[in-house]
């Protein structure tokens, strides 16, 4: 079973001015798509939805600084088995 994960679908994603939310993740690709087999998730995994993580597609806590600087309220999606 595969989980199609598309954080770009989030409404709050658009950055001010450019309309872009992805500033550094795999910018050489026309579209960032990740396929994760649910069977490969141990007990739970947190996936980034803010596009600020340095460990894509996983949350590394960078959303906290983003929220602090922008007043946003984004956070990860947590998948549990
Ligand atoms: Fe992006 Fe946590 S680092 S949601």
């Amino acid at each position: 079973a595969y989980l199609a994960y598309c954080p770009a679908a989030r409404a709050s994603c658009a950055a001010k001015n450019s309309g872009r939310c992805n500033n550094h993740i795999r910018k050489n690709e026309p579209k960032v798509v990740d396929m994760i087999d649910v069977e490969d998730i141990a007990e739970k995994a947190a996936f980034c939805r803010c596009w600020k993580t340095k460990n894509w597609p996983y949350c590394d806590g960078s959303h906290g600084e983003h929220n602090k600087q922008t007043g946003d309220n984004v956070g990860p999606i947590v998948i549990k088995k």
Side-chain angles (χ1 to χ4, degrees):
Y2 284 93
L3 171 69
Y5 173 63
C6 181
R10 294 182 316 108
S12 62
C13 191
K16 290 179 182 171
N17 303 322
S18 73
R20 295 181 182 184
C21 54
N22 182 9
N23 295 322
H24 69 279
I25 297 166
R26 298 182 354 219
K27 295 299 283 183
N28 60 328
E29 298 177 21
K31 184 186 298 181
V32 179
V33 176
D34 296 284
M35 297 290 289
I36 297 168
D37 191 332
V38 174
E39 305 300 323
D40 292 339
I41 295 174
E43 272 189 40
K44 69 178 181 178
F47 294 93
C48 179
R49 294 192 297 178
C50 75
W51 292 86
K52 306 301 181 211
T53 184
K54 302 292 186 282
N55 188 32
W56 187 263
Y58 301 100
C59 172
D60 69 355
S62 295
H63 60 268
E65 184 61 26
H66 166 78
N67 289 343
K68 189 172 151 187
Q69 290 184 358
T70 64
D72 210 345
N73 64 348
V74 297
I77 182 169
V78 178
I79 307 294
K80 296 196 307 187
K81 258 190 170 173

